[in-house]
Amino acid sequence: MAPTHRMVDTNGIRMHVAEEGQGYPVIFCHGFPHGWYVWHRQLAVLGAFGYHAIAPDLRGYGRTEAPAEIEAHTNRAVVGDLLGLLDRLGAERAVFVGLDFGAQLVWELALRAPERVAGVIVLNNPYAPRPPQPPSTYWTKAAERHFLHLSYFQRPGVADAELAGRPREFLANVFYALSADYHYLDTWSNPPGLGYLDVLPQAPALPWNWLTESEFDHLAAEFERTGFSGGLAWYRALDRNWELSADLPTRVTVPVHFLYGAHDPDMEGFSGRDPLTVMRAHLTDLRAVEKVPGAGHLVQLERTGAVNDFLLTAVAQLVGPATRTPGA
């Protein structure tokens, strides 16, 4: 079965969602530079097992509206989108799955509206409490020593033009660099002042053992059409997210299932020295932690079977077993 598509009015914007199946809602939240399609293998499986699997293009991406203001791309704004989506679905609660920026989003959703969250399933990006200083404080220091995309992306128009000028090359190179087939932190050996395409490795020709040419073409076509400015706005809103989170709780109280790739660069280089210990100290209901060998950042594509098995087990524990099996 292929997913169905529709536009939903939520929180003042038009949001595109792809969905499969019927049953309890499970909402998938992507990161950068992704879109709903990075979850298409998961939608098929969850839908076939009797859940309502839903993957939106988050604001700024794909067919969803992309407001110009940075303020419009804060976690608080996108949490509003997701709560509005729940309302449109007629659902009191849902399970939320997040990766990359989508992980940060569902962590904050669990803090802002725990009553709407049956549980979260997070891939690769562990929870950490709010740091004592704005995030840019830390990037700026690191970017004085070596290239760091977090800092590079802060300059309006610079990265936008570079990436939009060579979208297919950028996507292939960054997907490859973030996978278990490359060590992403090697990009830090480059000096500051370069562009992102200058520091990324040259990706081998597709297909790869975890991504087909047609899948890549689908992902690339969206960014060829839209450019990357909507996604880059999420990076430029990170300090504002920090400001807006000052009064939020520091502990996540909803049930949590966490999975990560053994070679994920976020776990290695962006989440502190002992991210699992920090995460455990701030969750009151952590139910599972699983490490997936041979996987990097796009773990749901690199090791689809392991991720799908983890998702089915987690969702069944959170909201009840599947109502059917594929083909039944």
Side-chain angles (χ1 to χ4, degrees):
M1 294 179 62
T4 59
H5 300 264
R6 60 172 162 152
M7 301 299 295
V8 174
D9 291 314
T10 175
N11 194 30
I13 67 165
R14 294 273 286 168
M15 171 183 276
H16 164 250
V17 299
E19 51 196 336
E20 290 198 41
Q22 298 178 350
Y24 201 94
V26 181
I27 299 177
F28 292 83
C29 299
H30 64 79
F32 177 89
H34 310 154
W36 79 266
Y37 190 72
V38 295
W39 300 112
H40 75 283
R41 299 179 189 173
Q42 286 66 49
L43 294 188
V45 169
L46 270 290
F49 272 87
Y51 300 105
H52 186 186
I54 306 149
D57 280 328
L58 298 173
R59 64 165 62 196
Y61 290 88
R63 285 178 264 171
T64 294
E65 288 185 33
E69 305 83 5
I70 298 304
E71 185 79 16
H73 293 85
T74 62
N75 283 342
R76 184 175 69 175
V78 188
V79 164
D81 299 345
L82 295 178
L83 296 178
L85 174 60
L86 272 185
D87 293 340
R88 293 301 300 267
L89 294 170
E92 187 62 32
R93 299 197 301 170
V95 174
F96 289 88
V97 183
L99 166 74
D100 194 79
F101 272 111
Q104 296 181 29
L105 178 64
V106 301
W107 288 129
E108 188 158 322
L109 172 62
L111 296 176
R112 289 188 177 276
E115 72 282 359
R116 307 299 300 273
V117 180
V120 298
I121 305 170
V122 173
L123 312 184
N124 282 334
N125 297 86
Y127 178 77
R130 181 177 183 268
Q133 299 181 70
S136 63
T137 304
Y138 307 98
W139 314 326
T140 301
K141 292 179 181 178
E144 292 173 354
R145 302 188 300 272
H146 59 75
F147 176 88
L148 185 66
H149 74 289
L150 291 164
S151 178
Y152 175 65
F153 284 171
Q154 298 306 308
R155 292 180 282 169
V158 177
D160 312 58
E162 181 198 19
L163 305 187
R166 296 153 69 184
R168 293 179 68 87
E169 181 182 357
F170 166 63
L171 287 169
N173 290 354
V174 77
F175 288 169
Y176 171 70
L178 290 166
S179 76
D181 299 324
Y182 184 79
H183 183 237
Y184 178 84
L185 298 193
D186 286 351
T187 63
W188 291 2
S189 64
N190 292 278
L194 299 176
Y196 209 1
L197 282 162
D198 297 325
V199 308
L200 288 171
Q202 181 63 48
L206 288 152
W208 305 334
N209 62 6
W210 55 272
L211 188 68
T212 69
E213 288 186 75
S214 62
E215 287 175 314
F216 177 80
D217 287 344
H218 194 291
L219 289 160
E222 284 292 86
F223 288 103
E224 288 177 312
R225 182 178 61 83
T226 66
F228 295 87
S229 294
L232 291 172
W234 286 59
Y235 286 91
R236 294 163 189 160
L238 287 171
D239 275 0
R240 183 61 176 145
N241 283 338
W242 180 84
E243 294 171 0
L244 294 171
S245 63
D247 295 328
L248 292 179
T250 60
R251 296 172 67 83
V252 174
T253 59
V254 305
V256 174
H257 294 250
F258 183 77
L259 175 146
Y260 66 102
H263 305 282
D264 174 58
D266 275 344
M267 288 291 289
E268 179 185 3
F270 293 95
S271 300
R273 294 181 180 178
D274 192 357
L276 292 180
T277 296
V278 172
M279 181 178 70
R280 287 187 172 102
H282 292 85
L283 307 182
T284 63
D285 192 2
L286 177 59
R287 300 189 177 185
V289 174
E290 183 170 316
K291 180 179 180 178
V292 181
H297 193 57
L298 289 169
V299 60
Q300 80 275 32
L301 297 177
E302 295 179 70
R303 292 294 180 267
T304 300
V307 171
N308 288 350
D309 288 346
F310 184 84
L311 288 171
L312 288 169
T313 298
V315 175
Q317 290 181 7
L318 290 167
V319 301
T323 59
R324 65 175 182 271
T325 56

